[in-house]
């Protein structure tokens, strides 16, 4: 099958070759079929013509034979008995061989109704009886219906065949005026119709030549048409191939351009995420500064206290042995250490959040990501929004994702909730595992969202905040990040003043 498909492939298909092969086969079959039909029709016409001719003369022959040869024996012996009337037999034999009526009779047999041969051009057959069950043609003639058939006979040697027409006629008793009486036997005549057959063979050959040559001419005319068509097809095919190649090249160029554009888009997306991160940090920075300021103040006052004591001890040498003077050192130094570590934690959380890194999709527990995000916000929350309820699922909620990007999403949602509640109101953050998904729900009791804004808030640059406060990019970025994580983000709000709920749904990894 694949080989056939290859041959029939439009670019490989040789129309002229297949046209020539098919035409030759068809012409040969048609020519021989036409010849064969002509020959068959000719043979049937020949039989019909010979029969018609014979039918015209047979009654005469019947009359002559009956009157001149059979009647005398009947009168003499009261039965047909040529065997014992040798003179009559010889006379009949002579006349039959003399080409009566130009019928070219080669053999003549006379049978009585029982099938006994009463006369034959082959004298040795006289007296023999025909097996009527075998010879159906004889049976038909006995019932008064003449029958003919053609056959070939080897005449003068191995290669010379004569065409014979064998006919069985009913043989009648005749009155003197030539009218038929009752049937007395059957006459079988074998006529040589070779010359007529030759004519037929010649007309058969002519038919083959005429049919073959007219089809040959038709073949040539069609060949020229096919040749022309092939040329046109070849030109069109070449044009099509050229167009296809040009198209393929253009598609390749466009694909490259799209790939480049996609790379640029990804780069811009990363930059946007980063700038949104920095914007988030900007929002948090006041609270964070306050958070760092407190421990720094403690550290400074402890350090100052310790410096004063040390100076007093050093100025008054005897103070070196004053146990009381040294006692506060461990306590102050511990405060300095603790507060320094607290600052370090705040700064490392902040650095961790703001770090720009290549996206890296790994198996992560979403509870951990929410926790990390909260650790950055909590310093802020202590002064601005003390009422954040966190309710993380006890089951591990594992997803495949980039922790940095997901942190950015939750940070945006929490900061939006902080803005929406403005120092008063509640915020709750919860995670849960539902069938094949993990959900992170950020709910606030803040200003809520107008119904007509609900389907716009994820559009880039949509903001209801005053100029300089909102960019309208936070939720658009969240949408993009969650989309590449094969998840979805949805917002719900009962209306202005009724708070808002943001639900992030991500596929669970088991
Ligand atoms: P921005 O905060 O810079 O305006 P966002 O894309 O984060 O940009 O938010 C788009 C808009 O969605 C906000 O301007 C606000 O109208 C609305 N919005 C987002 N979160 C909340 C929320 N928690 N409560 C009420 N409205 C919100």
């Amino acid at each position: 099958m694949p080989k056939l498909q290859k041959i029939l492939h439009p670019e490989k298909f040789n129309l002229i070759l297949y046209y020539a092969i098919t035409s030759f086969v068809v012409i040969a079959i048609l020519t021989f079929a036409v010849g064969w039909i002509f020959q068959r029709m000719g043979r049937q016409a020949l039989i019909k013509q010979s029969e018609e001719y014979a039918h015209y003369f047979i009654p005469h022959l019947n009359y002559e034979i009956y009157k001149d040869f059979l009647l005398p024996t009947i009168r003499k012996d009261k039965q047909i008995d040529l065997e014992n009337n040798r003179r009559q037999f010889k006379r009949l034999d002579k006349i039959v061989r003399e080409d009566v009526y130009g019928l070219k009779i080669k053999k003549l047999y006379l049978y009585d109704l029982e099938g006994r041969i009463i006369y034959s051009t082959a004298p040795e057959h006289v007296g023999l009886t025909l097996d009527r069950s075998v010879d159906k043609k004889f049976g038909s003639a006995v019932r008064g219906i003449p029958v003919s058939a053609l056959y070939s006979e080897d005449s003068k040697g191995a290669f010379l065949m004569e065409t014979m027409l064998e006919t069985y006629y009913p043989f009648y008793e005749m009155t003197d005026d030539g009218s038929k009486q009752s049937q007395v036997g059957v006459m079988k005549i074998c006529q040589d119709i070779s010359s007529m057959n030759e004519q037929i063979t010649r007309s058969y050959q002519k038919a083959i030549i005429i049919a073959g040559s007219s089809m040959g001419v038709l073949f040539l005319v069609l060949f020229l048409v096919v040749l022309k068509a092939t040329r046109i097809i070849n030109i069109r095919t070449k044009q099509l191939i050229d167009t296809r190649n040009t198209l393929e090249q253009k598609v390749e160029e466009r694909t490259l351009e799209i790939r480049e554009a996609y790379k640029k888009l990804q780069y811009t997306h990363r930059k946007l995420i980063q700038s949104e991160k920095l914007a988030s940090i900007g929002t948090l920075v006041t609270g964070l500064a306050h958070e760092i300021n407190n421990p720094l103040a403690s550290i400074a006052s402890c350090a100052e206290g310790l410096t004063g004591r040390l100076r007093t001890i050093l100025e008054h040498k005897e103070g070196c042995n004053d146990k009381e003077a040294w006692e506060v050192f461990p306590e102050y130094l511990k405060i300095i250490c603790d507060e320094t570590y607290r600052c370090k934690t705040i700064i490392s959380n902040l650095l961790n959040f703001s770090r720009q890194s290549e996206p890296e999709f790994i198996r992560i527990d979403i509870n951990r990501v929410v926790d990390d995000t909260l650790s950055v916000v909590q310093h802020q929350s202590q002064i601005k929004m003390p009422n954040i309820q966190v309710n993380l699922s006890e089951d591990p909620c594992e997803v495949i994702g980039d922790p940095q990007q997901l942190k950015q999403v939750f940070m945006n949602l929490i900061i939006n909730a902080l803005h929406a509640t403005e120092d008063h109101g509640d915020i709750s953050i919860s995670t849960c595992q539902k069938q094949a998904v993990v959900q992170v729900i950020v709910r606030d009791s803040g200003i809520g969202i107008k119904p007509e804004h609900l389907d716009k808030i994820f559009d880039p640059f949509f903001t209801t905040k005053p100029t300089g406060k909102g960019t309208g990019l936070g939720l658009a970025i969240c949408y993009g990040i969650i989309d590449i994580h094969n998840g979805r983000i949805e917002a719900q709000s009962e209306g202005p003043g009724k708070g808002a709920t943001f639900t992030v749904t991500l596929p669970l990894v088991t």
Side-chain angles (χ1 to χ4, degrees):
M1 269 320 256
K3 203 173 174 190
L4 187 69
Q5 275 173 4
K6 207 173 165 188
I7 291 172
L8 293 177
H9 190 278
E11 283 173 30
K12 302 265 184 276
F13 187 74
N14 190 335
L15 183 61
I16 296 180
L17 179 69
Y18 292 107
Y19 166 73
I21 293 171
T22 323
S23 303
F24 274 123
V25 173
V26 172
I27 287 175
I29 293 171
L30 280 181
T31 308
F32 281 102
V34 167
W36 184 78
I37 291 166
F38 263 66
Q39 193 189 31
R40 218 180 138 71
M41 280 163 54
R43 283 174 85 88
Q44 273 162 5
L46 178 63
I47 292 175
K48 205 164 170 241
Q49 196 184 338
S50 304
E51 276 177 346
E52 274 171 10
Y53 182 67
H55 285 178
Y56 182 69
F57 288 104
I58 287 306
H60 293 282
L61 188 61
N62 188 162
Y63 176 76
E64 302 279 335
I65 292 174
Y66 184 77
K67 191 170 73 68
D68 292 348
F69 303 105
L70 300 188
L71 201 57
T73 75
I74 293 169
R75 279 187 187 139
K76 194 175 147 216
D77 303 324
K78 304 286 179 232
Q79 62 171 346
I80 301 172
D81 186 7
L82 280 173
E83 256 182 302
N84 295 317
N85 288 284
R86 298 307 297 169
R87 208 168 59 85
Q88 299 288 40
F89 187 101
K90 276 192 182 147
R91 265 189 66 208
L92 175 57
D93 206 38
K94 190 165 168 266
I95 284 174
V96 168
R97 288 173 202 284
E98 272 174 1
D99 190 14
V100 265
Y101 306 119
L103 287 174
K104 289 201 174 170
I105 296 172
K106 279 278 170 176
K107 292 175 193 170
L108 192 143
Y109 287 78
L110 272 179
Y111 300 89
D112 63 15
L113 290 172
E114 263 62 57
R116 201 173 68 85
I117 300 172
I118 51 177
Y119 168 75
S120 167
T121 41
E124 64 275 16
H125 293 160
V126 177
L128 299 177
T129 304
L130 193 76
D131 184 352
R132 289 178 61 181
S133 62
V134 174
D135 202 326
K136 297 225 168 62
K137 289 178 281 228
F138 177 81
S140 169
V142 165
R143 287 194 301 280
I145 306 158
V147 194
S148 300
L150 273 182
Y151 73 96
S152 298
E153 191 175 85
D154 183 2
S155 66
K156 298 148 201 154
F159 301 107
L160 286 169
M161 302 294 281
E162 281 180 340
T163 307
M164 306 292 263
L165 179 72
E166 182 187 75
T167 317
Y168 287 78
Y169 296 98
F171 192 79
Y172 297 97
E173 188 185 330
M174 294 281 195
T175 57
D176 283 346
D177 62 355
S179 53
K180 285 180 194 169
Q181 298 296 304
S182 56
Q183 188 176 350
V184 290
V186 170
M187 179 166 63
K188 176 169 111 177
I189 295 174
C190 296
Q191 289 170 261
D192 177 9
I193 54 164
S194 302
S195 58
M196 292 170 102
N197 192 41
E198 268 167 31
Q199 278 179 18
I200 289 173
T201 312
R202 270 199 296 279
S203 64
Y204 164 63
Q205 285 164 348
K206 262 189 217 160
I208 288 191
I209 292 168
I210 291 170
S213 44
S214 25
M215 281 185 217
V217 171
L218 185 67
F219 166 76
L220 279 178
V221 172
L222 287 178
F223 183 77
L224 292 176
V225 174
V226 170
L227 204 67
K228 182 83 187 156
T230 311
R231 276 199 200 126
I232 294 170
I233 290 169
N234 283 346
I235 292 169
R236 292 274 180 279
T237 312
K238 201 176 165 304
Q239 284 173 347
L240 274 176
I241 292 171
D242 287 350
T243 316
R244 189 190 67 190
N245 288 345
T246 322
L247 268 176
E248 271 175 7
Q249 201 184 331
K250 276 193 179 154
V251 168
E252 221 162 86
E253 283 169 14
R254 293 284 172 278
T255 314
L256 270 179
E257 281 172 20
I258 289 169
R259 218 171 270 161
E260 281 301 308
Y262 182 66
K263 267 189 199 161
K264 273 185 194 159
L265 198 71
Q266 275 184 324
Y267 176 76
T268 316
H269 191 237
R270 282 208 298 278
K271 285 276 159 210
L272 255 177
I273 292 176
Q274 188 58 19
S275 60
E276 266 299 296
K277 248 184 213 173
L278 296 179
S280 309
I281 292 167
T283 311
L284 297 172
V285 92
T286 330
L288 288 170
H290 198 271
E291 273 301 291
I292 293 170
N293 208 26
N294 281 345
L296 285 180
S298 307
I299 293 167
S301 72
C302 286
E304 271 172 19
L306 290 179
T307 315
R309 278 173 190 261
L310 204 59
R311 199 171 289 132
T312 315
I313 291 165
L314 290 176
E315 277 170 9
H316 311 282
K317 292 262 170 115
E318 66 282 5
C320 288
N321 300 322
D322 183 0
K323 206 178 161 202
E324 232 177 74
W326 292 101
E327 251 172 10
V328 291
F329 273 79
E331 188 193 334
Y332 278 28
L333 285 173
K334 187 172 181 303
I335 292 171
I336 290 172
C337 269
D338 287 351
E339 293 301 285
T340 312
Y341 277 118
R342 204 169 137 211
C343 287
K344 188 173 177 285
T345 311
I346 293 168
I347 288 165
S348 69
N349 279 341
L350 202 61
L351 284 177
N352 195 19
F353 173 72
S354 62
R355 189 183 305 127
Q356 189 175 11
S357 56
E358 282 298 307
E360 187 190 17
F361 281 72
I362 51 169
R363 194 185 177 110
I364 36 161
D365 185 355
I366 211 78
N367 290 329
R368 174 94 194 275
V369 182
V370 174
D371 230 9
D372 286 353
T373 316
L374 284 168
S375 65
V376 181
V377 184
Q378 71 191 4
H379 311 294
Q380 167 92 352
S381 63
Q382 276 178 7
I383 52 147
K384 274 203 155 181
M385 183 63 252
N387 202 7
I388 290 187
Q389 287 167 18
V390 182
N391 186 13
L392 300 185
S393 160
E394 285 180 3
D395 301 320
C397 298
E398 295 205 313
V399 298
I400 297 288
D402 177 35
Q404 289 302 321
Q405 291 192 8
L406 289 174
K407 264 187 223 170
Q408 171 64 30
V409 171
F410 303 135
M411 179 63 88
N412 269 342
L413 296 181
I414 294 167
I415 287 178
N416 277 347
L418 287 170
H419 283 152
T421 48
E422 285 179 345
D423 293 347
H424 44 272
D426 302 318
I427 297 175
S428 79
I429 299 158
S430 59
T431 60
C432 65
Q433 189 188 308
K434 260 191 197 169
Q435 291 161 350
V437 293
V438 166
Q439 283 191 325
V440 180
I441 301 162
V442 181
R443 186 172 286 129
D444 68 71
S445 59
I447 54 170
I449 305 167
K450 286 184 185 165
E452 64 267 30
H453 287 168
L454 265 178
D455 52 355
K456 289 191 195 138
I457 54 173
F458 293 104
D459 292 350
F461 306 111
F462 175 84
T463 181
T464 54
K465 292 173 190 168
T467 324
K469 281 230 164 177
T471 57
L473 284 175
L475 286 180
I477 288 172
C478 291
Y479 190 92
I481 293 174
I482 296 303
D483 192 50
I484 58 169
H485 281 76
N486 296 323
R488 55 179 201 278
I489 177 166
E490 290 150 317
Q492 281 173 313
S493 173
E494 298 293 314
K498 296 199 173 150
T501 305
F502 285 82
T503 310
V504 174
T505 310
L506 293 165
L508 175 75
V509 185
T510 45

